[in-house]
Amino acid sequence: MLNSEEIHPDKVSGNDADKHSLIRIKRLTGVTPLGSQGAVLHGDHANLAIIPVAAGILRLKVFFGGDKPDLGTTPAILPLTQTGDIVLTEDEASYTILSAGLRTVAAKSPFGVKVYDDSGELLADLLGIEWNEKRAQTALLAMDGESHFYGFGEKTGFLDKKGERYEMWNSDVYEPHVPDIEALYQSIPWSIHFRYGRPAYGVLLDNPGRTAFDMRTRADRYQISAERGALDLYIVQGPTLKDVVRNLAELTGRTPLPPKWAIGYQQSRYSYMNQEEVLKVARTFREKRIPCDVLYLDIHYMDEYRVFTWDPVAFPRPQEMMRELESLGFNLVPIVDPGVKKDPSYPVYREGVHNGYFCRKLEGEIFIGPVWPGPSAFPDFTDDRAAEWWGDLHVHFTGNGIKGIWNDMNEPSVFNESKTMDLDVVHANNGDPKTHGELHNLYGMLMSKATQEGMKRHLNGERPFVLTRAGYAGIQRYATVWTGDNRSYWEHLAMSIPMVLNLGLSGVAFAGPDIGGFSHDTTGELLARWTQAGAFTPFCRNHSAIDTIRQEPWLFGEKVEDICRSYIALRYRLMPTLYSFFYDTSVSGLPIVRPLLMEYPDDASVYNLCDQFLFGPDLMIAPILRPGTFSRAVYLPAGAWYDYWTGERREGGRWILANAPLETMPMYVRAGGILAEQPLTMHACDAAAQAGPLTLTVYAGGEGRFALYEDDGLTYAYEQGHYRLRRFVWTEDADGQGSSLRCERAHDGVTGTAHGTAASRILRIFVERPSKAPSQVTASGAALLEWSYDAAAGRFFAELDVSEEDGFELRLA
Ligand code: GLC
């Protein structure tokens, strides 16, 4: 328990006493051009490098002494090549740097830097840079009453982070996740500053030590600080929120296409205790016809928690288990923690010690900290040799047909007073040694990178899946993120939404919470409501803790089981839509689940709206987030919307009261929205799905676009062009007399399984509420097999054979 000592004046940072000892850049004394790289501004006490790194992205790095900054980066930052010329000019009052997309004006005295976009609008307004005698540095950026803040990776609280303060320090937090918690498992030092009618921009701080973003302390400025190491900022241009997120993806990368099975429903438990139990769970899913793709093995599968081993008694024949799982269409994802048991008879420990792969103190002593296996050593993933060794250890799994790995405890979490590795451990860092204090937040990401790369080396061309608890900016390139040890609280169901939305705005599209809640006992009602919402989070896994009641969907009576089954089934029917969204994020970097704010930035009612969200651009999900609640207010932005369940058309720009008996989660589709569905299957890679007809539903009343992506769902053949991309466009004649659905094959390189190959050429099209009852229906470029119109329901139906065509047009008049 914490007591009042927690708020002892000496413990509270940022109190007024600290202010007196601050040093700041007061004025600029000169400039050194860095050619095509940018320029260094010399201040009276420190220098500031201004480096345009890509169109619309500007790096600002503070450094002390010398003329040249160290322009190295952490692995978060992709190698970028600056495009276009840089022009540096000086007048009496300022230096100006023109680069692609941006104009940066640095005032000489008093010092300040303003970054403008190419339309002359002010983006970031850097009011000052200050530091204390320990060189903990802070950047002060202007904000005002209209400011809203998003991003920050995985944080508690609501969507809009205005008035909040967060720390970036990867932490294993088992206490209940509440708004006061400033740091969780992931650290993405990234903020988006958004104001109505003004261009949005983001700031990334590339420093994996302890850093902070403070939008609370001052009314007119927000503060970004680094306790140690460099203040190395990237200003990322908008103007729209989507542009900011797309540009962030240029800097820190995108989520690669996962194997399709990894976007199915997943079931976990701490722990399934033995081989028979795992198989029983798998068989029960199939018997009960609840779709599921993945089962997890938590720490009990190992021999006394030694990583890369099997418990010989509980899991005596893993290959046999894997064969049955495979025949049932399941993948198995075992947990792998970084702690390697200190045991001189254990080959992994021996190899690590022998080859110098473990983290050590400067004096040479290996850092040993207690975790599940007792005293353990930790691989130094900053050393490529150690990372490669670790990656190759995964043949232990790939050799058994395992294609996914769950990385946990990789903050790293240590059962000691500081809860992590000693800060004076010195990481090898490939020849540029740095202390753990400087690199802490990178540890988990580098573990997942080593894991993903190792799995990839040993999976013969298949895509691996890696799930991680800890991460840093760029983690999406290597792993999927789950939000750690939440609880079976209704509040945590509610909080999971803004958490996942802000992760998406921070570049991490593939994320989700433990459905049903990890610790604490869930209830049937909570599980039903959480499964409804969870069917629409990009990562969809039910997981629960060792000391809680079991949480598989069939354990709470028939009604809850039916509800879970039908929402999980809905996810599987919508798989072509979901997989296409994954494709979209892999090329655009835009999130799959979005706050309404992203699509409706001019609507002030949505700036902090996070009890409802968008799945892709058009489908609104409005989960029930409280017990005993069977209706809720839903905000429909301007335009028309369809009730997904009843087809009823509602005018937007207003709040409505939605009916939500336990079996119904309110969902609405924007007029113009297009959803693709396939026949229900029990797992995502079931060939039957590809062979069955594909169904497109168009919700008339607005222009619509949808890009349908298909490939083999498993390999990297898509990188060689083996995929199909079809763009569907729905348009309506201005006079309301006709409408058409056009399909263009943007790319067709499918060789294996995808819709439209072999038997699966049939496209079923529904149009909800076309503007008039169609009397003439024609198709060009495809054979129209049949059509009908249900006047009572206002629903049009057509079946097309789209076999060999490049594209088609279906016209309703
Ligand atoms: C941590 C993880 C949790 C896991 C447990 C045992 O608490 O966050 O998901 O089940 O460790 O491995």
Side-chain angles (χ1 to χ4, degrees), residues 494-528:
M495 196 175 64
S496 70
I497 299 173
M499 220 183 230
V500 170
L501 294 177
N502 271 316
L503 274 163
L505 295 175
S506 308
V508 185
F510 196 1
D514 280 344
I515 292 172
F518 176 66
S519 56
H520 200 70
D521 285 348
T522 199
T523 63
E525 187 186 1
L526 178 58
L527 185 68

mmCIF file of all heavy atoms in Angstrom, residues 494-528:
data_model
loop_
_atom_site.group_PDB
_atom_site.id
_atom_site.type_symbol
_atom_site.label_atom_id
_atom_site.label_comp_id
_atom_site.label_asym_id
_atom_site.label_seq_id
_atom_site.Cartn_x
_atom_site.Cartn_y
_atom_site.Cartn_z
ATOM 1 N N ALA A 494 -14.090 -0.159 -20.638
ATOM 2 C CA ALA A 494 -14.255 1.196 -21.196
ATOM 3 C C ALA A 494 -12.901 1.799 -21.554
ATOM 4 O O ALA A 494 -12.726 2.397 -22.614
ATOM 5 C CB ALA A 494 -14.996 2.084 -20.196
ATOM 6 N N MET A 495 -11.927 1.615 -20.654
ATOM 7 C CA MET A 495 -10.618 2.252 -20.867
ATOM 8 C C MET A 495 -9.853 1.614 -22.025
ATOM 9 O O MET A 495 -8.995 2.247 -22.641
ATOM 10 C CB MET A 495 -9.806 2.153 -19.591
ATOM 11 C CG MET A 495 -8.635 3.083 -19.569
ATOM 12 S SD MET A 495 -7.841 3.004 -17.972
ATOM 13 C CE MET A 495 -7.294 1.325 -17.963
ATOM 14 N N SER A 496 -10.163 0.351 -22.308
ATOM 15 C CA SER A 496 -9.409 -0.303 -23.384
ATOM 16 C C SER A 496 -9.649 0.404 -24.726
ATOM 17 O O SER A 496 -8.793 0.354 -25.606
ATOM 18 C CB SER A 496 -9.789 -1.783 -23.480
ATOM 19 O OG SER A 496 -11.113 -1.936 -23.966
ATOM 20 N N ILE A 497 -10.783 1.071 -24.853
ATOM 21 C CA ILE A 497 -11.069 1.699 -26.160
ATOM 22 C C ILE A 497 -10.131 2.882 -26.423
ATOM 23 O O ILE A 497 -9.387 2.861 -27.404
ATOM 24 C CB ILE A 497 -12.561 2.074 -26.279
ATOM 25 C CG1 ILE A 497 -13.396 0.791 -26.155
ATOM 26 C CG2 ILE A 497 -12.846 2.780 -27.598
ATOM 27 C CD1 ILE A 497 -14.881 1.028 -26.087
ATOM 28 N N PRO A 498 -10.120 3.927 -25.544
ATOM 29 C CA PRO A 498 -9.159 4.995 -25.827
ATOM 30 C C PRO A 498 -7.705 4.514 -25.858
ATOM 31 O O PRO A 498 -6.879 5.067 -26.601
ATOM 32 C CB PRO A 498 -9.375 5.993 -24.681
ATOM 33 C CG PRO A 498 -10.204 5.291 -23.662
ATOM 34 C CD PRO A 498 -10.976 4.232 -24.385
ATOM 35 N N MET A 499 -7.405 3.468 -25.102
ATOM 36 C CA MET A 499 -6.027 2.966 -25.102
ATOM 37 C C MET A 499 -5.646 2.430 -26.481
ATOM 38 O O MET A 499 -4.597 2.764 -27.035
ATOM 39 C CB MET A 499 -5.925 1.836 -24.071
ATOM 40 C CG MET A 499 -4.668 1.837 -23.277
ATOM 41 S SD MET A 499 -4.688 0.397 -22.178
ATOM 42 C CE MET A 499 -4.300 1.174 -20.665
ATOM 43 N N VAL A 500 -6.536 1.626 -27.035
ATOM 44 C CA VAL A 500 -6.247 1.052 -28.353
ATOM 45 C C VAL A 500 -6.310 2.147 -29.430
ATOM 46 O O VAL A 500 -5.512 2.159 -30.368
ATOM 47 C CB VAL A 500 -7.221 -0.117 -28.653
ATOM 48 C CG1 VAL A 500 -7.119 -0.572 -30.090
ATOM 49 C CG2 VAL A 500 -6.935 -1.274 -27.698
ATOM 50 N N LEU A 501 -7.222 3.110 -29.263
ATOM 51 C CA LEU A 501 -7.316 4.185 -30.260
ATOM 52 C C LEU A 501 -6.048 5.031 -30.256
ATOM 53 O O LEU A 501 -5.504 5.377 -31.307
ATOM 54 C CB LEU A 501 -8.534 5.072 -29.986
ATOM 55 C CG LEU A 501 -9.905 4.394 -30.151
ATOM 56 C CD1 LEU A 501 -11.026 5.363 -29.784
ATOM 57 C CD2 LEU A 501 -10.112 3.870 -31.567
ATOM 58 N N ASN A 502 -5.551 5.364 -29.063
ATOM 59 C CA ASN A 502 -4.325 6.172 -29.012
ATOM 60 C C ASN A 502 -3.102 5.381 -29.457
ATOM 61 O O ASN A 502 -2.163 5.950 -30.023
ATOM 62 C CB ASN A 502 -4.123 6.774 -27.620
ATOM 63 C CG ASN A 502 -4.807 8.132 -27.494
ATOM 64 O OD1 ASN A 502 -4.716 8.958 -28.410
ATOM 65 N ND2 ASN A 502 -5.509 8.369 -26.404
ATOM 66 N N LEU A 503 -3.102 4.067 -29.227
ATOM 67 C CA LEU A 503 -2.005 3.256 -29.791
ATOM 68 C C LEU A 503 -2.040 3.371 -31.315
ATOM 69 O O LEU A 503 -1.006 3.537 -31.955
ATOM 70 C CB LEU A 503 -2.140 1.797 -29.349
ATOM 71 C CG LEU A 503 -1.513 1.466 -27.993
ATOM 72 C CD1 LEU A 503 -2.041 0.141 -27.449
ATOM 73 C CD2 LEU A 503 0.017 1.412 -28.087
ATOM 74 N N GLY A 504 -3.239 3.306 -31.883
ATOM 75 C CA GLY A 504 -3.379 3.432 -33.334
ATOM 76 C C GLY A 504 -2.883 4.783 -33.842
ATOM 77 O O GLY A 504 -2.274 4.874 -34.898
ATOM 78 N N LEU A 505 -3.130 5.825 -33.051
ATOM 79 C CA LEU A 505 -2.662 7.168 -33.449
ATOM 80 C C LEU A 505 -1.162 7.311 -33.198
ATOM 81 O O LEU A 505 -0.564 8.316 -33.556
ATOM 82 C CB LEU A 505 -3.419 8.247 -32.662
ATOM 83 C CG LEU A 505 -4.928 8.343 -32.949
ATOM 84 C CD1 LEU A 505 -5.584 9.364 -32.036
ATOM 85 C CD2 LEU A 505 -5.179 8.699 -34.411
ATOM 86 N N SER A 506 -0.566 6.306 -32.578
ATOM 87 C CA SER A 506 0.880 6.320 -32.309
ATOM 88 C C SER A 506 1.608 5.327 -33.207
ATOM 89 O O SER A 506 2.755 4.974 -32.944
ATOM 90 C CB SER A 506 1.133 5.951 -30.844
ATOM 91 O OG SER A 506 0.365 6.758 -29.984
ATOM 92 N N GLY A 507 0.922 4.831 -34.228
ATOM 93 C CA GLY A 507 1.560 3.949 -35.203
ATOM 94 C C GLY A 507 1.308 2.472 -34.973
ATOM 95 O O GLY A 507 1.666 1.644 -35.803
ATOM 96 N N VAL A 508 0.692 2.128 -33.818
ATOM 97 C CA VAL A 508 0.510 0.712 -33.489
ATOM 98 C C VAL A 508 -0.932 0.302 -33.820
ATOM 99 O O VAL A 508 -1.841 0.423 -32.992
ATOM 100 C CB VAL A 508 0.816 0.444 -32.003
ATOM 101 C CG1 VAL A 508 0.742 -1.048 -31.703
ATOM 102 C CG2 VAL A 508 2.195 0.983 -31.648
ATOM 103 N N ALA A 509 -1.116 -0.186 -35.047
ATOM 104 C CA ALA A 509 -2.473 -0.510 -35.494
ATOM 105 C C ALA A 509 -2.963 -1.841 -34.938
ATOM 106 O O ALA A 509 -4.158 -2.038 -34.764
ATOM 107 C CB ALA A 509 -2.498 -0.554 -37.022
ATOM 108 N N PHE A 510 -2.036 -2.761 -34.691
ATOM 109 C CA PHE A 510 -2.424 -4.130 -34.327
ATOM 110 C C PHE A 510 -2.311 -4.273 -32.807
ATOM 111 O O PHE A 510 -1.259 -4.655 -32.281
ATOM 112 C CB PHE A 510 -1.491 -5.101 -35.053
ATOM 113 C CG PHE A 510 -1.968 -6.541 -35.101
ATOM 114 C CD1 PHE A 510 -3.173 -6.937 -34.541
ATOM 115 C CD2 PHE A 510 -1.186 -7.503 -35.732
ATOM 116 C CE1 PHE A 510 -3.595 -8.259 -34.611
ATOM 117 C CE2 PHE A 510 -1.596 -8.834 -35.797
ATOM 118 C CZ PHE A 510 -2.803 -9.211 -35.231
ATOM 119 N N ALA A 511 -3.392 -3.945 -32.105
ATOM 120 C CA ALA A 511 -3.340 -3.939 -30.648
ATOM 121 C C ALA A 511 -4.698 -4.320 -30.092
ATOM 122 O O ALA A 511 -5.722 -4.243 -30.782
ATOM 123 C CB ALA A 511 -2.942 -2.553 -30.142
ATOM 124 N N GLY A 512 -4.704 -4.718 -28.833
ATOM 125 C CA GLY A 512 -5.964 -5.035 -28.170
ATOM 126 C C GLY A 512 -5.712 -5.404 -26.716
ATOM 127 O O GLY A 512 -4.590 -5.699 -26.330
ATOM 128 N N PRO A 513 -6.782 -5.367 -25.909
ATOM 129 C CA PRO A 513 -6.656 -5.717 -24.490
ATOM 130 C C PRO A 513 -6.941 -7.209 -24.285
ATOM 131 O O PRO A 513 -7.404 -7.883 -25.191
ATOM 132 C CB PRO A 513 -7.792 -4.911 -23.859
ATOM 133 C CG PRO A 513 -8.874 -4.937 -24.921
ATOM 134 C CD PRO A 513 -8.146 -4.926 -26.256
ATOM 135 N N ASP A 514 -6.685 -7.711 -23.082
ATOM 136 C CA ASP A 514 -7.150 -9.046 -22.707
ATOM 137 C C ASP A 514 -8.673 -8.981 -22.601
ATOM 138 O O ASP A 514 -9.217 -8.319 -21.696
ATOM 139 C CB ASP A 514 -6.558 -9.470 -21.357
ATOM 140 C CG ASP A 514 -5.127 -9.988 -21.492
ATOM 141 O OD1 ASP A 514 -4.706 -10.300 -22.626
ATOM 142 O OD2 ASP A 514 -4.439 -10.076 -20.459
ATOM 143 N N ILE A 515 -9.350 -9.654 -23.506
ATOM 144 C CA ILE A 515 -10.828 -9.629 -23.516
ATOM 145 C C ILE A 515 -11.346 -10.387 -22.297
ATOM 146 O O ILE A 515 -10.876 -11.483 -22.001
ATOM 147 C CB ILE A 515 -11.346 -10.246 -24.827
ATOM 148 C CG1 ILE A 515 -10.989 -9.328 -25.996
ATOM 149 C CG2 ILE A 515 -12.853 -10.496 -24.764
ATOM 150 C CD1 ILE A 515 -11.268 -9.915 -27.352
ATOM 151 N N GLY A 516 -12.286 -9.780 -21.594
ATOM 152 C CA GLY A 516 -12.829 -10.376 -20.375
ATOM 153 C C GLY A 516 -12.076 -9.912 -19.143
ATOM 154 O O GLY A 516 -12.566 -10.038 -18.019
ATOM 155 N N GLY A 517 -10.876 -9.358 -19.356
ATOM 156 C CA GLY A 517 -10.061 -8.890 -18.232
ATOM 157 C C GLY A 517 -9.154 -9.991 -17.725
ATOM 158 O O GLY A 517 -9.553 -11.156 -17.649
ATOM 159 N N PHE A 518 -7.919 -9.628 -17.367
ATOM 160 C CA PHE A 518 -6.908 -10.619 -16.954
ATOM 161 C C PHE A 518 -7.104 -11.033 -15.493
ATOM 162 O O PHE A 518 -7.514 -12.149 -15.197
ATOM 163 C CB PHE A 518 -5.513 -10.030 -17.191
ATOM 164 C CG PHE A 518 -4.392 -10.911 -16.716
ATOM 165 C CD1 PHE A 518 -4.149 -12.131 -17.323
ATOM 166 C CD2 PHE A 518 -3.557 -10.519 -15.668
ATOM 167 C CE1 PHE A 518 -3.106 -12.948 -16.890
ATOM 168 C CE2 PHE A 518 -2.509 -11.319 -15.238
ATOM 169 C CZ PHE A 518 -2.280 -12.540 -15.860
ATOM 170 N N SER A 519 -6.829 -10.108 -14.570
ATOM 171 C CA SER A 519 -7.031 -10.507 -13.178
ATOM 172 C C SER A 519 -8.442 -10.122 -12.743
ATOM 173 O O SER A 519 -9.186 -9.486 -13.498
ATOM 174 C CB SER A 519 -5.959 -9.900 -12.271
ATOM 175 O OG SER A 519 -5.945 -8.527 -12.414
ATOM 176 N N HIS A 520 -8.828 -10.529 -11.511
ATOM 177 C CA HIS A 520 -10.191 -10.352 -11.009
ATOM 178 C C HIS A 520 -11.108 -11.349 -11.747
ATOM 179 O O HIS A 520 -10.813 -11.745 -12.865
ATOM 180 C CB HIS A 520 -10.668 -8.914 -11.237
ATOM 181 C CG HIS A 520 -11.816 -8.507 -10.362
ATOM 182 N ND1 HIS A 520 -11.673 -8.327 -9.018
ATOM 183 C CD2 HIS A 520 -13.119 -8.261 -10.640
ATOM 184 C CE1 HIS A 520 -12.839 -7.972 -8.508
ATOM 185 N NE2 HIS A 520 -13.739 -7.932 -9.464
ATOM 186 N N ASP A 521 -12.213 -11.714 -11.116
ATOM 187 C CA ASP A 521 -13.140 -12.663 -11.753
ATOM 188 C C ASP A 521 -14.090 -11.926 -12.683
ATOM 189 O O ASP A 521 -14.732 -10.958 -12.293
ATOM 190 C CB ASP A 521 -13.977 -13.372 -10.689
ATOM 191 C CG ASP A 521 -13.156 -14.428 -9.963
ATOM 192 O OD1 ASP A 521 -12.044 -14.754 -10.444
ATOM 193 O OD2 ASP A 521 -13.621 -14.912 -8.923
ATOM 194 N N THR A 522 -14.177 -12.420 -13.903
ATOM 195 C CA THR A 522 -15.136 -11.810 -14.818
ATOM 196 C C THR A 522 -16.541 -12.319 -14.484
ATOM 197 O O THR A 522 -16.715 -13.202 -13.652
ATOM 198 C CB THR A 522 -14.754 -12.115 -16.288
ATOM 199 O OG1 THR A 522 -15.400 -11.179 -17.135
ATOM 200 C CG2 THR A 522 -15.177 -13.521 -16.694
ATOM 201 N N THR A 523 -17.541 -11.737 -15.124
ATOM 202 C CA THR A 523 -18.911 -12.263 -15.027
ATOM 203 C C THR A 523 -19.368 -12.550 -16.452
ATOM 204 O O THR A 523 -18.768 -12.059 -17.412
ATOM 205 C CB THR A 523 -19.869 -11.211 -14.433
ATOM 206 O OG1 THR A 523 -19.918 -10.086 -15.336
ATOM 207 C CG2 THR A 523 -19.423 -10.745 -13.059
ATOM 208 N N GLY A 524 -20.418 -13.321 -16.565
ATOM 209 C CA GLY A 524 -20.940 -13.634 -17.898
ATOM 210 C C GLY A 524 -21.305 -12.374 -18.655
ATOM 211 O O GLY A 524 -21.007 -12.223 -19.840
ATOM 212 N N GLU A 525 -21.922 -11.444 -17.951
ATOM 213 C CA GLU A 525 -22.367 -10.221 -18.616
ATOM 214 C C GLU A 525 -21.169 -9.413 -19.125
ATOM 215 O O GLU A 525 -21.165 -8.919 -20.254
ATOM 216 C CB GLU A 525 -23.202 -9.379 -17.640
ATOM 217 C CG GLU A 525 -23.842 -8.170 -18.313
ATOM 218 C CD GLU A 525 -24.555 -7.246 -17.331
ATOM 219 O OE1 GLU A 525 -24.542 -7.537 -16.115
ATOM 220 O OE2 GLU A 525 -25.097 -6.227 -17.791
ATOM 221 N N LEU A 526 -20.145 -9.314 -18.271
ATOM 222 C CA LEU A 526 -18.957 -8.551 -18.686
ATOM 223 C C LEU A 526 -18.271 -9.237 -19.866
ATOM 224 O O LEU A 526 -17.855 -8.583 -20.825
ATOM 225 C CB LEU A 526 -17.986 -8.397 -17.500
ATOM 226 C CG LEU A 526 -16.680 -7.660 -17.792
ATOM 227 C CD1 LEU A 526 -16.930 -6.253 -18.330
ATOM 228 C CD2 LEU A 526 -15.804 -7.584 -16.538
ATOM 229 N N LEU A 527 -18.183 -10.561 -19.791
ATOM 230 C CA LEU A 527 -17.521 -11.272 -20.892
ATOM 231 C C LEU A 527 -18.308 -11.097 -22.194
ATOM 232 O O LEU A 527 -17.716 -10.878 -23.256
ATOM 233 C CB LEU A 527 -17.366 -12.759 -20.563
ATOM 234 C CG LEU A 527 -16.576 -13.513 -21.631
ATOM 235 C CD1 LEU A 527 -15.116 -13.079 -21.649
ATOM 236 C CD2 LEU A 527 -16.679 -15.016 -21.434
ATOM 237 N N ALA A 528 -19.641 -11.145 -22.090
ATOM 238 C CA ALA A 528 -20.457 -10.989 -23.296
ATOM 239 C C ALA A 528 -20.220 -9.599 -23.905
ATOM 240 O O ALA A 528 -19.954 -9.458 -25.103
ATOM 241 C CB ALA A 528 -21.929 -11.173 -22.955
#
